Amino acid sequence: MRTYLLSIFLFLFSTFSFAQSPITIQGQVVDATTQELLIGTNVYPLSDWQRGTSTDDEGQFTLEAATDDTLMVTFIGYEPQLVAATEGELLVKLKANVQNMETVTVEASSLVAEEFSIKKIEQLEIYMNPNAKADPLLAVNSLPAATTLDESANVSLRGSSPAQTGIFLNDVPIYDAVRFAQLNGIGTFSIFNTALIKQLQVFPSNPPLEFGNTSAGLISLQTTDQIPEQASVDAVISPANVGIYASLPTSSTSAVSLFSNYQPSGILQAMNSRALQDLKYFHTLDFGAHYFHQLNEKTSLKVFNYAVNEGYRFASRHPSGDDTFRMQKWRNFTTANLRTQYEHSLLTFNGGFSISDMNLSVGNLDIDTQNQDMYLSANYTRFWDAWTLKTGFTYDDRQADFAGKTPVFDYARATHHPADSFAAQMQVRVPEGYVYSKYQPSQRWTLGLGLRKNVPINDQPDYLSYQFNTHYQLAKQQTVTFSAGRYHQQVIPQSESAASFYCSDQLSLDYQYQRKGKTLSLAVFYKDTQADRVMEQTYGAEAAADIRWSPKLRTQLSYTYLNASVQEEEVSISSPYDLNYFVRGSFTYQISPQWSLSSIFIHRQGTFYQSVVDRVYNSELEVYAPTYASADQALRLPDYNVIDLSISRVWPLSEKLSAVAFGNINNVLNHRNVRGIDYNQDYSQPFNKLFAQRTFYAGVILQWQ
């Protein structure tokens, strides 16, 4: 299938001729206000739009045009500009498509601790990152600090479980931030539409205490607050997704964005019948709406709503009997943010409400889960020349209702085996007050200090969270960030063995060197976490390099080492995140102004599993009951290796329409990556459960403005 796709691409890539001798034009496109390089800008002659090109990673372009021609320069979110075709070098400055109020107020960031984030990712970086596949959380999973052990959008940071990672959208916590109806049933993509995301910031350790109820890393996403001058529409057409995104001004001070996606499984399964032989069916239908209103020169309002209905079925194998695993889920959540900017202060109110209903069933397991989450916060920030103080109060209320039946014996899971019925309700209420201050005694130094205290209710633990941060600029290109603190988190456990309360002590030291085209980073970190009666200890190191060798070639390489252990009742064993090596890399090559080729690879040590050492036949149930090796005798799975390849082509089809065609091969070498061990009926013969094998994908994105 991939060969067919490349053939189509090559067929569509044709050559053209001029009626007169052309001249060569070179140029660079930047934001007129910030001077930021605009990558992927469309540039084409009015006389022949098919000879157009787009800017590379340095915002540069090269094309040929007639001496009396005019160039049209367009980029989504910016005003188009006409430029006379002149031989030599051009500098084109595009103005953002933003309607300004008569009085312009300089807005301060609502995130006080932003200097202590390890990575800030802009929207364009998500689109340009070959690891991200245009998804915000997958962009985070491409960072050296990401230690996710499956092929999902769930984010593990520096050896902590995804349940400990805080994800906030417009300062509102989002629980369960992935869509599950994907290839392997474990949540391949997040629920966030990148077209709405202005930027995201990543704190892989020591989450800032202006956010609460998180004990490991934190991801803060902010949606756009720009008002476009004119409507724009993006459409995606691919084998497993048909989607549309529209952004339009509703007045000179407000705008609305709407998007929807439908994801069927039929075509994708036909394209990858061998790789997806266990997948029987999946579907997703979602809808989102984002509204921004500048109420006056000081006050703005954001409202976002998202709804999704999804489901999947795949073959499930177990020694006691094979069956089909089924999942069906619907969800709706809303966030709202009211922000008032004064001359020296900022007042914000944030709210969120989420409801969901999910059913999981396989064999004699059948569980219904209904969740309801509510969040409210009031925050006040005061700015001085060198000092910033933020304080506020948050209330996080989560409730889950569980009902259904579970196997009486873990080794007897067929539909006819005994099962226990149950019904339970769990609720976590977390009211907290906090104060966070930042002091900048000089241009080089930034110091941060935070305290967060809960109001214990319903016999909940009484705790105080605290942290200290410092950011120092060693030289123009070098920075060091040190953070330390104690953090607490209350969660709703998803199983009897899961923890409900985390207390984590953390230290981290991050160094970064940046020079034009090169970024080098080093980090060391330590975490000591108590999860109910279980102690988890993790320390590790990271090293990464991001180098632009030329305007056409960019490479990234990172190495992570983790020493992670779990101790329960004086018995210490290795954590699943105990990894001697986790290597991740990528390259992007701009074959021509229109063509881009990229590849990523991951090589990491396998995780642990407990092998079967004996089994006993249960004649009453007619199944075998296995005996597993003790936890301290766990074995490692084989190393995980994957290489993905993608290619894309940009076409400026007209003054207002452009297209991007893309194709992907996941797991190019078809490596048989093992995610677990399963057994035959009498546990005498083990066999491997595999991650996704080689799959092919392609599609087209159409952009109107």
Side-chain angles (χ1 to χ4, degrees), residues 437-473:
S437 63
K438 180 177 69 178
Y439 178 59
Q440 294 178 292
S442 69
Q443 291 185 345
R444 288 192 170 188
W445 279 101
T446 304
L447 306 174
L449 182 66
L451 297 171
R452 192 172 190 100
K453 178 71 180 70
N454 76 316
V455 180
I457 56 176
N458 298 336
D459 298 323
Q460 291 177 350
D462 187 359
Y463 57 82
L464 174 68
S465 301
Y466 50 84
Q467 76 177 158
F468 170 76
N469 316 87
T470 179
H471 180 82
Y472 180 64
Q473 188 165 347

Side-chain angles (χ1 to χ4, degrees), residues 387-418:
W387 185 37
T388 302
L389 177 69
K390 184 176 181 179
T391 186
F393 187 83
T394 64
Y395 178 69
D396 197 349
D397 187 326
R398 304 191 64 202
Q399 179 176 305
D401 296 311
F402 302 93
K405 59 180 184 177
T406 57
V408 173
F409 305 101
D410 187 58
Y411 57 84
R413 299 185 182 181
T415 54
H416 62 277
H417 288 142

Side-chain angles (χ1 to χ4, degrees), residues 548-565:
R548 296 174 186 258
W549 300 96
S550 70
K552 290 189 173 184
L553 178 63
R554 177 185 180 183
T555 61
Q556 296 172 292
L557 182 66
S558 67
Y559 169 83
T560 299
Y561 165 80
L562 286 172
N563 185 300
S565 61

Side-chain angles (χ1 to χ4, degrees), residues 291-470:
Y291 177 72
F292 174 77
H293 188 191
Q294 190 74 40
L295 299 171
N296 55 48
E297 64 184 48
K298 294 181 179 180
T299 305
S300 62
L301 173 68
K302 282 184 184 179
V303 179
F304 177 64
N305 181 261
Y306 177 79
V308 60
N309 184 293
E310 57 184 338
Y312 64 84
R313 298 194 300 267
F314 67 86
S316 175
R317 296 179 175 85
H318 190 267
S320 62
D322 296 342
D323 198 10
T324 298
F325 189 99
R326 298 172 175 85
M327 188 281 286
Q328 184 66 41
K329 179 179 180 180
W330 69 265
R331 181 185 183 190
N332 187 90
F333 76 80
T334 303
T335 65
N337 312 90
L338 185 66
R339 170 190 175 115
T340 300
Q341 173 82 54
Y342 301 99
E343 185 177 0
H344 299 294
S345 61
L346 176 66
L347 183 63
T348 61
F349 298 93
N350 306 308
F353 183 72
S354 173
I355 54 174
S356 66
D357 192 333
M358 179 174 67
N359 175 262
L360 299 174
S361 65
V362 59
N364 58 350
L365 172 74
D366 192 341
I367 299 176
D368 282 303
T369 304
Q370 295 179 335
N371 287 280
Q372 180 176 294
D373 305 326
M374 183 179 69
Y375 179 83
L376 297 169
S377 75
N379 313 272
Y380 176 75
T381 310
R382 182 70 167 85
F383 306 97
W384 290 270
D385 290 340
W387 185 37
T388 302
L389 177 69
K390 184 176 181 179
T391 186
F393 187 83
T394 64
Y395 178 69
D396 197 349
D397 187 326
R398 304 191 64 202
Q399 179 176 305
D401 296 311
F402 302 93
K405 59 180 184 177
T406 57
V408 173
F409 305 101
D410 187 58
Y411 57 84
R413 299 185 182 181
T415 54
H416 62 277
H417 288 142
D420 284 334
S421 298
F422 73 98
Q425 183 180 92
M426 297 184 183
Q427 187 168 28
V428 172
R429 293 188 176 125
V430 188
E432 295 179 322
Y434 74 92
V435 59
Y436 190 91
S437 63
K438 180 177 69 178
Y439 178 59
Q440 294 178 292
S442 69
Q443 291 185 345
R444 288 192 170 188
W445 279 101
T446 304
L447 306 174
L449 182 66
L451 297 171
R452 192 172 190 100
K453 178 71 180 70
N454 76 316
V455 180
I457 56 176
N458 298 336
D459 298 323
Q460 291 177 350
D462 187 359
Y463 57 82
L464 174 68
S465 301
Y466 50 84
Q467 76 177 158
F468 170 76
N469 316 87
T470 179

Side-chain angles (χ1 to χ4, degrees), residues 169-186:
L169 177 69
N170 293 334
D171 302 335
V172 175
I174 302 297
Y175 301 103
D176 188 11
V178 299
R179 288 181 296 171
F180 285 90
Q182 302 296 331
L183 304 185
N184 50 15
I186 56 175

